[in-house]
Amino acid sequence: MTVSDSVIRPRIAVVLAAGRGTRMRSELPKVLHPVAGRPMISWVLDAARAAGCRRIVVIVGHGAERLRAAVAAPDVVFVTQEPQLGTGHALAQAAPAIEGAAQLLVLSGDVPLVSPRTLEKLVAPSAWGALAVAELDRPERLGRVLAAAHGGLERIVEAADASPEELEVRTVNAGLYALPAPEIFSYLDRLDDHNAQGELYLTDAVGAAAADGERLELVPLDDPSEAWGVNTRRQLGEVHRRLLERHLEALMDAGVTVLDPARTVVEPQVEVGADTVLHPGVSLLGKTRVGRGCTLHQGAWLHDTELGDGVTVKPYSVLDGAKVGPASQVGPFSRLRPGADLGHGVAVGNFVEVKNSRLADGVKAGHLAYLGDAEIGPEANIGAGVVTCNYDGQKKHKTKIGKGAFVGSDTMLVAPVTVGDDAVTGAGSVITQDVPDGALGVGRGRQRVIEDWARRRARHEES
Ligand code: UD1
Ligand code: CA
């Protein structure tokens, strides 16, 4: 029987995630540290799912409660490893959770760059088992893989236990394996901790199977960075950067211009349409979707935001939970908050804040405005300094502005209030009553002119 007999053996992922991760110097369990916007371990779980694992066993220990809360899902079972005596001991804990024969994909929660393709390749060969290997220029503290004459595995030696010659080997163990259950468990039962770290090494169990004459295929990674593990904050930074880089590469291949990839952050779930141009210093986060032919300038920060086609976001604009229709212009220095919903060809400019408001097609709000809980009709013009006074200290109220309305500069709209279609408000007005369609609403002190005032003051000061 081989590990690839998937007809008989269900494919189950076991993710090792109980370790303390001491070198991170953190309160947070290592595998929960976010990379590219999500906990490290989520990337591993996703890869396992994409590779057809219907069940995932997660080995938890250090920070178990937080880990359970963070990754609970119908296809995930948790097994506790307490105390944590090493990777071999960790996998051994999975035995009771796995009934009968299975094809195990054993993954490390701290190796998040693993791709589904790699996992498919691990289960493909008709060997007893397989492990992913990579040739790295800087193998650092990763386990070194020694190949047998027949090309399969001979054994793995941990960096801490390696001789100087063994440290010269640049083929590393990525910590990703396909192994048959229950067979692997009998090797785990026989492990000892006679090594530099005093741990029960999974790598020794794999070596023992090879020594027994079982064939373990060495599967080279197409992208050696998949082997990068996270033991330190520096490695966390490298892995984060690599995840972003991968996504930027895919976007560029699909027709997006990224002027300076090293200074552009696009999280992996973000979609960007072809012919969109991303200037340096753009951040696209969460579930953001950008249309085709958009231009995003320096400092555009978008989170969970949707842009239609042909939108321009000028420098230093912050958009969170917003929707912007096609051919609209936002910024510079605009802030769109959750529920901001802009139609077609809207222009929102300098220091304009919009929250929970619908701005219909062609609305213009060029300067220094606060628009909250408002419904603004097509082609309305919002002057500089307009404020919807939507909050009375207890409740939020709605402002309605009709189509084609002209709200004069510095108008305070004390909600609830309606400005009708084609209505106008005088600059500097405090509007507390509805303005009917086509009417002018003025609410301000009448100007007084005192003739000859300056000369009279001067004379007064002399005396
Ligand atoms: C391990 C491998 C090494 C490989 C590297 C790849 C062993 C002995 N060494 O080393 O050959 O190159 O991964 O990244 O397997 N864990 C537990 N329980 C434990 C100890 C660890 O669940 O008792 C988990 C950790 O949370 C981590 C994973 O197993 O997610 C790997 O453990 P870690 O201590 O980071 O192993 P490495 O020293 O990196
Ligand atoms: Ca590790």
Side-chain angles (χ1 to χ4, degrees), residues 177-346:
Y177 318 79
L179 297 168
E183 291 87 334
I184 185 63
F185 294 116
S186 61
Y187 290 104
L188 295 171
D189 289 344
R190 283 178 263 153
L191 286 176
D192 65 53
D193 63 0
H194 303 155
N195 53 54
Q197 299 178 88
E199 288 183 3
L200 302 169
Y201 288 165
L202 171 56
T203 46
D204 283 352
V206 169
D212 253 6
E214 304 291 8
R215 186 175 173 94
L216 281 116
E217 228 41 83
L218 305 180
V219 176
L221 293 166
D222 296 338
D223 176 355
S225 68
E226 282 190 56
W228 294 358
V230 177
N231 293 336
T232 63
R233 301 263 185 171
R234 291 188 192 200
Q235 291 168 336
L236 183 80
E238 286 165 7
V239 162
H240 170 78
R241 195 64 245 171
R242 182 67 198 126
L243 266 171
L244 298 182
E245 211 172 69
R246 260 194 201 169
H247 187 48
L248 287 174
E249 285 163 3
L251 290 175
M252 290 189 276
D253 291 346
V256 176
T257 296
V258 183
L259 292 174
D260 188 350
R263 291 202 289 143
T264 308
V265 175
V266 180
E267 286 185 349
Q269 283 165 298
V270 172
E271 295 169 22
V272 184
D275 286 325
T276 284
V277 179
L278 305 181
H279 284 253
V282 165
S283 292
L284 306 179
L285 312 176
K287 298 189 183 75
T288 292
R289 279 164 49 197
V290 175
R292 302 169 72 92
C294 296
T295 304
L296 281 74
H297 289 274
Q298 167 135 344
W301 186 97
L302 277 65
H303 176 255
D304 290 353
T305 285
E306 211 178 298
L307 301 189
D309 296 341
V311 170
T312 301
V313 181
K314 296 177 187 169
Y316 304 103
S317 295
V318 174
L319 288 72
D320 190 3
K323 234 179 112 179
V324 179
S328 291
Q329 307 243 354
V330 176
F333 300 105
S334 295
R335 169 133 193 250
L336 303 187
R337 292 168 51 200
D341 180 2
L342 279 50
H344 190 290
V346 169

Side-chain angles (χ1 to χ4, degrees), residues 30 108 110-111 142 229-231 235:
K30 174 168 78 174
S108 302
D110 65 349
V111 183
L142 291 173
V230 177
N231 293 336
Q235 291 168 336

